[in-house]
Amino acid sequence: MCRLFGLHSGRARAKATFWLLNAPSSLLEQSRREPDGTGVGVFTPEGRPRVEKQALAAWQDRAFAREARSLESTTFIAHVRYASTGAHTYANTHPFEQAGRLFAHNGAFAGLDKLERRLEDVGGAGLVHGETDSERMFALITAETRHANGNLEEGIVNAVSWMAGKLPIFSLNFIITTATDLWALRYPESHELYVREDHAGPATASHVLEATSPRISVRSHDISDRVLVATKRMDDDPRWRLMDSGELIHVGPDLRPRSSRPFPARPAVQLELSDLDANAAASQQSHEG
């Protein structure tokens, strides 16, 4: 299945090299089982979104390692794709950018014809440039946020609530980032999503991260204050916490996650793996190995 990663480093710009390349379950390692695309999204010092992505697995994309070592931002969003909807193209590769925000999704849902009619009704159809269900979900969030006078939380709640009531849903897990904020949703319980808070104070020798492989040795005085979100625990640190089903997390520059649970316990129509077609079902399995 697709893999998500998000990082917020507060007001300090940072790198995410360890998590993208060198962690025991780095995005690079996870991409060996998720072959259909890789992307990383960051923000410039001026707050403009920048997306680097290819319709290739990260381990096949030489640019991914170079970018993972060099990119700096206050927030990161990254995604490795196992496609369920849409061809293996740049336009269908996550993350997506709309209205200065970045979005990546892990999951599947049905009823795209109904969602497209909803997008027409709320003025969001022009935001979609590819074929994926994920980009259409993001477009609905963007359109609903516009109708909520720019209140992203209200836009997320309105969009996801409409989908939960109207569409057959397997999983809507996502991460959204801006230059100052990160949002993450786990809904419903079909897929896991973890959050980790690191508030360790000034970096000391005990906070040095080390990673060694036959090809690269890393010793990094990584930032000690950050919040991480990921589809799976990326190392054995006990601070990883499984988000509740239906939990929406908002992380601002103070790095204090705020949780809410504004959605019904289950969608009106909850899809199981057996309800999906063969391609979608393959994309939603864990592919651990």
Side-chain angles (χ1 to χ4, degrees):
M1 67 182 184
C2 299
R3 301 292 184 177
L4 298 173
F5 170 75
L7 181 149
H8 199 321
S9 62
R11 294 177 175 85
R13 294 179 65 78
K15 294 184 178 181
T17 309
F18 178 78
W19 305 104
L20 297 175
L21 297 181
N22 306 117
S25 293
S26 68
L27 262 290
L28 181 68
E29 180 62 26
Q30 293 181 52
S31 78
R32 296 184 183 278
R33 294 175 291 277
E34 323 300 331
D36 299 329
T38 306
V40 181
V42 297
F43 288 83
T44 69
E46 297 76 30
R48 292 192 294 270
R50 174 185 172 187
V51 174
E52 302 289 346
K53 61 184 181 179
Q54 295 288 337
L56 294 170
W59 66 273
Q60 295 177 309
D61 182 8
R62 294 182 179 180
F64 177 79
R66 181 175 65 250
E67 292 151 0
R69 292 187 181 95
S70 63
L71 291 173
E72 292 188 352
S73 184
T74 49
T75 63
F76 283 81
I77 185 171
H79 184 274
V80 291
R81 184 181 185 221
Y82 195 114
S84 61
T85 304
H88 306 164
T89 64
Y90 179 90
N92 291 333
T93 303
H94 306 224
F96 303 103
E97 187 269 323
Q98 294 176 12
R101 307 180 191 101
L102 300 177
F103 172 93
H105 166 232
N106 170 32
F109 56 90
L112 288 188
D113 53 345
K114 187 177 293 186
L115 176 54
E116 288 179 348
R117 291 194 294 272
R118 177 65 176 173
L119 287 173
E120 291 284 352
D121 291 342
V122 297
L127 296 166
V128 178
H129 304 289
E131 304 164 300
T132 65
D133 53 355
S134 304
E135 190 181 19
R136 284 161 173 78
M137 177 183 179
F138 188 26
L140 184 60
I141 292 171
T142 301
E144 292 288 3
T145 299
R146 185 186 302 148
H147 287 290
N149 297 316
N151 185 318
L152 181 55
E153 180 168 356
E154 187 175 342
I156 291 171
V157 171
N158 290 345
V160 173
S161 295
W162 182 89
M163 294 178 70
K166 301 293 185 181
L167 305 181
I169 289 171
F170 182 73
S171 176
L172 300 182
N173 290 10
F174 69 71
I175 296 173
I176 295 177
T177 56
T178 69
T180 58
D181 294 80
L182 179 150
W183 299 81
L185 173 68
R186 181 187 179 209
Y187 185 72
E189 71 279 359
S190 307
H191 287 325
E192 296 176 341
L193 193 62
Y194 293 86
V195 62
R196 169 175 156 178
E197 297 180 58
D198 293 1
H199 300 295
T204 67
S206 65
H207 302 135
V208 174
L209 294 173
E210 296 188 54
T212 304
S213 75
R215 301 183 63 183
I216 185 168
S217 177
V218 173
R219 183 175 175 85
S220 172
H221 291 272
D222 200 2
I223 56 172
S224 56
D225 290 321
R226 65 192 165 201
V227 176
L228 305 170
V229 178
T231 307
K232 62 180 292 184
R233 296 179 179 93
M234 301 179 78
D235 61 12
D236 60 3
D237 192 294
R239 288 173 291 187
W240 290 104
R241 174 182 72 81
L242 178 63
M243 291 173 59
D244 294 336
S245 177
E247 183 176 2
L248 176 65
I249 288 179
H250 173 216
V251 185
D254 63 356
L255 295 182
R256 302 296 175 184
R258 182 172 57 85
S259 293
S260 61
R261 294 163 181 79
F263 308 111
R266 293 175 65 86
V269 180
Q270 170 74 65
L271 295 176
E272 304 298 333
L273 200 62
S274 59
D275 297 320
L276 304 177
D277 64 37
N279 182 58
S283 77
Q284 298 306 308
Q285 296 182 60
S286 64
H287 302 288
E288 298 289 359

